[in-house]
Amino acid sequence: MCQAPLFSCPAIDTTAATLVKTILALETSCDETGVAVLRDRELLASEVASQVAAHEKFGGIVPEIASRNHLAYAPRLLDRTISAAKIDVSRVDAFAATSGPGLASSLMIGASIAKGLAIGFGKLYLAINHLEGHLLSPFFVGADGDEQIRPNVSLIVSGGHTMSVRVRGLADYQLIGRTVDDAAGEAFDKVAKMLGLGYPGGPEIEKHARGGDPNRFDLPRSMLASDNFSFSGLKTSVRYLLPKIEEQRVTQTPCNLDEGVLTDLCASFQQAIIDVLMTKTIAAAERYQADLVTISGGVSCNQELRRQLHEACSRKGFELKNAEPWLCTDNAAMIAFAALLRLQAGFQSQVAEEIDPNLALV
Ligand code: KG4
Ligand code: ZN
């Protein structure tokens, strides 16, 4: 097989890198189609087309449906984002896309569009790791901010990943721990499905947990002494608990639980996840003597997790940074931001670079 790249992007030197201004990025790693335009740190436009409705009835993502929808949404979204940003696309300095990890048939769509634009306009292409997009998102504070990436201990909690990372600087990461089975968001989604609640499960459980007693059900906090995470035992405990607490009569709730019992169960489940995430994050921050803790990914939208982690960090003297909720779930703004920082640091990608569904962060 021919090893030579089919196309190559224009060479970039460090001087040119510091002049790079406008990035157009696409995010299509899973079930959200995202396009964003960033000019330096100013976000000119960011659009996300959610596919929740298309996957909801299956209780999870169907890859074939996801890629068909990306194919339908991406060109329209591209058009809309470029108009909203009021830019001439030929003036974009670099095109970026998520190149992994994610669903192969979904990743291909965003990456192919970004590569096509880079080739067509003779501009730079950047392949961005989705997890790096999440990881750096707490530093994205908009046009007025110019904060550089500071050393921190970072927790990435999404539907596909749960990992704790020691960040020394841009592109200098050390894995502390990761889940050995389900991701935290996946546990939220699976338990919500068991309870007959909607998809995605995290926001549903959070909503039903409000006002509930988090101590009513004794659910496990697995592998607390390890750097790694495990959530499948917690999910199984809920499965075994359900038949014991379900009402015989048909009630108003989707899972035959009395409303108060459902609320307490959601609160107890949510608290079990929060306890595990908090304990490990604080322990890692202490071990690495971090001044700063960051949290990102869809699960970090959870208000109770944010509140409790904030309190725990304040008690220990750590600063906590979390992205705005709209930046926590999948979006292209975080991909554009990671691309901007990488370009400014002199990184670039070849358009021949392939997507990698299992792309590792470290
Ligand atoms: O980062 P994200 O949008 O996609 C992945 O990269 O996976 O995360 C989606 C995950 C889903 O599992 C969803 O249930 C969870 O984030 N999630 C939440 C909340 N909002 C989204 N989990 C707990 N509480 C929330 N409020
Ligand atoms: Zn994500």
Side-chain angles (χ1 to χ4, degrees):
M1 202 174 86
C2 174
Q3 295 297 314
L6 294 175
F7 307 97
S8 61
C9 276
I12 180 170
D13 63 25
T14 323
T15 335
T18 56
L19 295 176
V20 168
K21 295 287 186 220
T22 309
I23 314 276
L24 188 152
L26 290 106
E27 155 62 40
T28 60
S29 65
C30 192
D31 63 336
E32 315 281 9
T33 317
V35 183
V37 177
L38 191 64
R39 180 175 292 147
D40 284 337
R41 294 223 176 183
E42 187 187 356
L43 185 64
L44 299 185
S46 176
E47 301 274 341
V48 177
S50 171
Q51 299 184 14
V52 164
H55 300 275
E56 199 168 21
K57 53 182 171 293
F58 302 102
I61 314 294
V62 183
E64 170 79 15
I65 295 176
S67 51
R68 281 169 185 260
N69 280 329
H70 286 311
L71 209 49
Y73 295 161
R76 284 184 252 158
L77 216 55
L78 197 57
D79 230 25
R80 203 186 316 155
T81 311
I82 289 167
S83 312
K86 298 189 177 63
I87 52 153
D88 173 350
V89 71
S90 68
R91 307 292 290 268
V92 167
D93 297 290
F95 295 92
T98 304
S99 63
L103 300 168
S105 52
S106 290
L107 289 165
M108 260 180 227
I109 292 163
S112 301
I113 293 173
K115 288 175 182 186
L117 289 166
I119 293 166
F121 287 103
K123 298 296 172 71
L124 299 169
Y125 168 66
L126 269 109
I128 299 296
N129 186 310
H130 180 82
L131 296 171
E132 189 176 42
H134 280 306
L135 182 85
L136 301 177
S137 63
F139 289 91
F140 184 34
V141 286
D144 300 335
D146 61 352
E147 194 183 356
Q148 299 308 306
I149 305 304
R150 284 190 280 137
N152 64 86
V153 161
S154 184
L155 177 69
I156 306 174
V157 264
S158 71
H161 298 89
T162 296
M163 55 170 61
S164 140
V165 180
R166 184 182 181 195
V167 177
R168 294 195 195 86
L170 180 72
D172 186 359
Y173 312 130
Q174 174 194 332
L175 181 70
I176 300 171
R178 58 153 46 106
T179 181
V180 296
D181 41 54
D182 292 346
E186 192 178 355
F188 270 107
D189 295 337
K190 287 178 175 171
V191 166
K193 191 176 177 186
M194 273 180 227
L195 298 176
L197 304 176
Y199 174 84
E204 288 292 319
I205 290 190
E206 177 170 25
K207 189 172 75 190
H208 283 87
R210 262 180 221 127
D213 175 3
N215 300 313
R216 172 148 176 200
F217 297 105
D218 185 20
L219 296 170
R221 275 81 169 145
S222 303
M223 293 175 56
L224 269 191
S226 163
D227 284 335
N228 287 331
F229 302 80
S230 167
F231 294 108
S232 80
L234 171 61
K235 172 196 68 189
T236 307
S237 298
V238 175
R239 175 166 291 132
Y240 287 141
L241 180 65
L242 266 182
K244 296 183 195 153
I245 59 175
E246 256 168 349
E247 297 285 308
Q248 293 311 307
R249 66 197 163 83
V250 176
T251 67
Q252 296 299 306
T253 65
C255 53
N256 278 357
L257 287 181
D258 177 77
E259 190 67 54
V261 177
L262 176 66
T263 302
D264 291 346
L265 181 56
C266 286
S268 302
F269 169 77
Q270 178 175 270
Q271 191 57 49
I273 296 214
I274 292 174
D275 284 348
V276 170
L277 297 178
M278 273 200 334
T279 305
K280 287 169 190 280
T281 305
I282 297 294
E286 283 179 327
R287 177 155 13 117
Y288 294 109
Q289 298 176 332
D291 297 323
L292 175 65
V293 170
T294 65
I295 179 169
S296 60
V299 177
S300 71
C301 289
N302 189 286
Q303 293 300 323
E304 197 52 28
L305 170 62
R306 288 162 95 98
R307 190 185 66 74
Q308 292 189 31
L309 188 57
H310 196 270
E311 273 178 20
C313 284
S314 298
R315 272 197 304 275
K316 297 283 181 180
F318 304 133
E319 183 189 345
L320 174 68
K321 259 185 184 301
N322 42 229
E324 297 281 311
W326 70 269
L327 254 181
C328 293
T329 48
D330 289 350
N331 66 87
M334 68 181 190
I335 303 301
F337 181 58
L340 176 79
L341 296 182
R342 280 195 163 258
L343 269 178
Q344 288 174 337
F347 289 90
Q348 61 172 306
S349 311
Q350 296 295 317
V351 282
E353 191 171 311
E354 292 185 13
I355 54 114
D356 180 354
N358 301 312
L359 189 64
L361 180 67
V362 280

